[in-house]
Amino acid sequence: MSPGEELIKMKTEITTAVGFITRLLRTTGLISDEQLQHFTESLEKALAEHYRHHWFPHMPCKGSGYRCIRINHKMDPLIARASNIIGLSSQQLFQLLPSELTLWVDPFEVSYRIGEDGSICVLYENVPSSAISPLDSMISCKDEFRIGRSSPSKSYMMTVSS
């Protein structure tokens, strides 16, 4: 598959993810439309390049961790790079974006969670083509995350008696 074909296959997911982050920045009212446009273009290009050899429509969960955009008291390097182009430092970004944000960009699905124990919300979801086996499409990556979570949430209290 050529790089152009690969980009076309992930364009909707990348556009959805970047649009979400851009909307978060836009709501602050502190960044001009021109700056936001440059940020959007830069981040779309960075994600397309970053995901180039890590996009598996036949196995959407493969590479999900690699494609995850994460802010957890540390700025995601791809967002930081795109923000530097418009003159924003990581320090400024921390003031404009949630301190904890996880954004999963997978084939056929883009979802996010704000906070470590927040709900997972879907931004984009599409039905995979029939080329994918029914078993692969039954459980999404976010469902695997929920099923695989082994530790209780922070608000959970356990009483142990002897």
Side-chain angles (χ1 to χ4, degrees):
M1 182 181 326
S2 75
E5 289 173 315
E6 237 173 40
L7 177 59
I8 289 169
K9 289 191 181 269
M10 62 179 121
K11 177 79 171 141
T12 302
E13 290 89 341
I14 289 174
T15 301
T16 301
V18 172
F20 176 72
I21 295 167
T22 302
R23 281 190 303 280
L24 289 174
L25 292 172
R26 178 175 282 121
T27 60
T28 66
L30 301 173
I31 303 172
S32 73
D33 286 342
E34 185 178 341
Q35 286 176 302
L36 286 169
Q37 182 61 37
H38 288 302
F39 174 83
T40 297
E41 291 167 1
S42 174
L43 188 55
E44 283 180 352
K45 184 177 177 182
L47 291 177
E49 180 61 32
H50 188 68
Y51 298 164
R52 176 170 282 150
H53 300 293
H54 299 274
W55 196 258
F56 309 99
H58 58 287
M59 295 185 333
C61 292
K62 181 179 179 182
S64 185
Y66 182 84
R67 293 185 304 269
C68 180
I69 297 170
R70 183 92 166 108
I71 301 170
N72 187 7
H73 307 292
K74 184 177 174 189
M75 187 54 59
D76 183 274
L78 297 172
I79 294 176
R81 192 177 333 143
S83 66
N84 286 338
I85 288 176
I86 62 168
L88 286 178
S89 67
S90 288
Q91 196 77 349
Q92 291 169 308
L93 271 179
F94 278 121
Q95 295 172 345
L96 301 173
L97 294 172
S99 60
E100 290 188 9
L101 170 68
T102 306
L103 184 61
W104 292 276
V105 184
D106 297 313
F108 313 111
E109 184 177 302
V110 178
S111 53
Y112 73 95
R113 181 185 67 206
I114 295 177
E116 197 59 36
D117 296 315
S119 297
I120 296 174
C121 302
V122 176
L123 294 168
Y124 167 79
E125 193 168 30
N126 193 2
V127 179
S129 69
S130 60
I132 295 175
S133 76
L135 184 59
D136 289 339
S137 62
M138 284 174 58
I139 298 176
S140 70
C141 297
K142 72 175 184 319
D143 290 334
E144 282 189 5
F145 176 78
R146 284 186 193 132
I147 292 166
R149 186 174 188 152
S150 59
S151 63
S153 69
K154 291 178 185 172
S155 61
Y156 181 80
M157 186 162 87
M158 184 184 299
T159 307
V160 178
S161 61
S162 49

